[in-house]
Amino acid sequence: MSNEETFEKFKEVAVEVLQVPADKVTPDARFAEDLDADSLDLVELVMALEESFDVTVEETELEGIETIGQAYDLIVAKL
Amino acid sequence: MLLGYGPDGPIPGRRVAITGIGVLSCCGVGTEALWTGLNGPAPEGERRVPDFDPSRWFGPKDARHVDRFAQFAVAAAEMALDDAEGLDADPARSGVVIGTGVGGFESLQSQVLVYGEKGARRVSPRLVPMMMSNAGAANVSIRAGWHGPSETITTACAAGTHSIGYAARLVASGRCDVAIGGGSEAAMTEVGIAAFANMTALSTSGHSRPFDRRRDGFVITEGAGALVLEDWDRAVARGARIYGELAGAASSADAHHITAPIPSGSGAAVCMEVAIEDAGLVPGDVAHINAHGTSTPLNDKAEAQAITTVFGSPGPVVTSTKGITGHGLGAAGAIEAVAAVLTIEHRLIPPTVGYEEPDPEIDLDIVTSTARPWEPGPILSNSFGFGGHNGCLVISPA
């Protein structure tokens, strides 16, 4: 899977969980400020990503994750 | 409505006006759908809310994060608030009391299945705020921005009635100028239906026939009802439409069995008597009773016995709107309080649909076939729940 395809797949999951328009899911988008996502949304998103990408993310790894790009990098590093 | 008893006798509270009503039932969304349904034929098949569209009240994300029972609570409350027009309530003096029998059953059931299939790590982080019984009241107060009391009463099938009574007392006491009282339920999940069926509470024939000799259990339904309750003088001053007065309320216990009512109906009789006294009335003043009338063999017999104990024979005109609506558990009392308000509005008592063959052990004046004119006077609304919890409201014309 190319980087582009991986990001598209990531984006689909984010759109489904966060219920935001696809064009708002950019690497710079901040969860709280730009996507109206709270801490539970982030947990839900990570769960869905774990499922889609067949990876495991520990709760401690979520500390400091504030943007789509950071979350994406966290997942990609495990693939 | 009384605040209690002092050295000089009863202490009357402020009068409580009903200035808004909202409802969802198997007849549809809104008060007009309910009234049309109550005066029509019995519905066929499962009695779910047929036309509920969450997007009328929730964005796509909130719709995913709020259980169906809490969505119903919000919808009923906000329809009632719209109906009350121009409330302009002081947030600090506005409260919410929304009861439920079981809360977010659908969310709990689905996440138990997720746990079984995928394990603990996949259980939704939203489950707790979705399933908690207070989610209805919480979502209503969050959306309204009200800082007064926001609470939930969980007394099974009496929850809606108890919640309206408690909300009214918040207004009567002066703690609140405005309060929403109501009840909500969405327990028609596979597990919920199986549980009620296996305890033999549900009708095997599928017919809701309150007080009929052939009754064989209740028909389960879902929905919600809500009343806007307002300080009477405030409502008059702002020129509000006043449907009626929430004049009295009471609560009692059967202290008998976890599901079966006490056969003499003595606990229910106490509740009716206290509610009537709370309204400053005597039993002879009551013009009509909207009965709990679930269509179970035990409830209807015990309730009839209780009514006869309090009022003599045959007593006031009785109807059970559950012939149409089925039994909405924690929502039932709230849906029926709305039905009582609509009775005042239309000056008609809807029939007990399904009642055809009298039970020789039940001596009540039951409205059959078609609606009967309501002779203006106080209406008593009864609700009795598993656990032996009894609730009664007295709703009087303005």
Side-chain angles (χ1 to χ4, degrees):
Chain A
M1 197 183 281
S2 69
N3 281 348
E4 223 166 71
E5 284 169 341
T6 308
F7 188 73
E8 276 309 307
K9 186 174 164 186
F10 179 100
K11 194 196 263 186
E12 269 176 37
V13 175
V15 166
E16 167 69 16
V17 173
L18 305 179
Q19 295 284 314
V20 290
D23 60 9
K24 289 189 86 175
V25 184
T26 61
D28 293 338
R30 295 163 300 175
F31 286 109
E33 295 84 348
D34 302 322
L35 302 172
D36 193 29
D38 61 18
S39 61
L40 290 184
D41 288 319
L42 189 55
V43 175
E44 260 190 307
L45 175 62
V46 168
M47 265 190 196
L49 291 167
E50 285 184 327
E51 189 101 356
S52 290
F53 289 93
D54 196 21
V55 295
T56 302
V57 179
E58 296 305 327
E59 207 178 310
T60 50
E61 296 178 271
L62 295 179
E63 283 168 24
I65 300 287
E66 286 170 5
T67 65
I68 286 286
Q70 289 172 327
Y72 177 70
D73 291 343
L74 179 65
I75 298 296
V76 167
K78 293 171 181 287
L79 294 176
Chain B
M1 180 168 272
L2 302 179
L3 301 181
Y5 290 84
D8 302 322
I11 305 167
R14 305 195 299 180
R15 290 181 74 193
V16 180
I18 301 166
T19 56
I21 51 178
V23 70
L24 301 92
S25 69
C26 69
C27 303
V29 174
T31 53
E32 279 182 30
L34 177 62
W35 187 251
T36 303
L38 291 180
N39 289 283
E44 300 282 333
E46 281 195 331
R47 299 189 193 186
R48 295 179 193 270
V49 179
D51 52 355
F52 180 63
D53 176 12
S55 71
R56 185 172 153 193
W57 290 277
F58 297 92
K61 193 167 147 190
D62 283 342
R64 281 165 53 101
H65 294 166
V66 179
D67 185 273
R68 185 170 173 87
F69 100 95
Q71 292 185 9
F72 285 170
V74 165
E78 294 188 357
M79 284 190 284
L81 286 171
D82 288 346
D83 189 44
E85 282 184 283
L87 209 50
D88 192 25
D90 173 357
R93 299 178 55 77
S94 301
V96 180
V97 188
I98 307 260
T100 184
V102 292
F105 208 149
E106 196 170 281
S107 301
L108 177 60
Q109 179 184 307
S110 71
Q111 292 302 312
V112 168
L113 293 176
V114 167
Y115 178 89
E117 286 164 16
K118 298 180 176 174
R121 282 183 60 90
R122 289 288 174 269
V123 173
S124 170
R126 297 278 175 192
L127 175 58
V128 171
M130 289 178 77
M131 67 175 275
M132 61 191 194
S133 298
N134 52 309
N139 278 287
V140 170
S141 66
I142 288 166
R143 291 166 61 109
W146 286 2
H147 297 299
S150 175
E151 302 181 21
T152 292
I153 294 175
T154 307
T155 43
C157 306
T161 291
H162 283 149
S163 296
I164 292 170
Y166 178 47
R169 227 170 286 279
L170 288 175
V171 175
S173 72
R175 169 63 185 88
C176 291
D177 295 329
V178 175
I180 292 172
S184 178
E185 204 77 80
M188 292 178 70
T189 70
E190 292 85 347
V191 174
I193 290 172
F196 281 111
N198 290 349
M199 71 185 293
T200 67
L202 297 188
S203 165
T204 51
S205 70
H207 296 294
S208 182
R209 290 176 172 133
F211 302 114
D212 187 289
R213 187 181 58 77
R214 301 161 299 165
R215 67 190 185 276
D216 66 347
F218 71 79
V219 173
I220 192 169
T221 191
E222 58 175 10
L227 305 184
V228 173
L229 303 162
E230 190 171 353
D231 169 43
W232 187 277
D233 292 342
R234 180 188 196 277
V236 169
R238 74 178 181 90
R241 170 186 49 194
I242 298 177
Y243 285 106
E245 179 175 1
L246 203 306
S251 180
S252 78
D254 270 8
H256 173 66
H257 183 269
I258 197 67
T259 55
I262 191 164
S264 66
S266 55
V270 165
C271 199
M272 288 187 248
E273 284 165 354
V274 175
I276 291 165
E277 188 177 318
D278 191 45
L281 302 171
V282 295
D285 296 328
V286 173
H288 161 50
I289 300 173
N290 186 310
H292 189 50
T294 56
S295 177
T296 65
L298 293 180
N299 173 81
D300 294 4
K301 190 175 162 192
E303 183 173 14
Q305 185 63 50
I307 290 171
T308 303
T309 301
V310 175
F311 297 95
S313 178
V317 184
V318 173
T319 198
S320 168
T321 42
K322 287 190 181 75
I324 290 291
T325 63
H327 188 5
L329 314 173
I335 293 171
E336 286 148 26
V338 172
V341 171
L342 292 173
T343 288
I344 293 174
E345 187 76 352
H346 294 272
R347 296 181 165 255
L348 282 174
I349 302 170
T352 305
V353 171
Y355 175 89
E356 288 157 2
E357 295 186 18
D359 179 336
E361 293 187 284
I362 290 176
D363 184 19
L364 299 175
D365 179 8
I366 297 169
V367 184
T368 57
S369 314
T370 55
R372 202 190 288 185
W374 164 73
E375 299 298 334
I379 300 174
L380 181 69
S381 182
N382 287 342
S383 295
F384 311 125
F386 285 161
H389 309 283
N390 305 308
C392 295
L393 299 173
V394 177
I395 296 174
S396 295

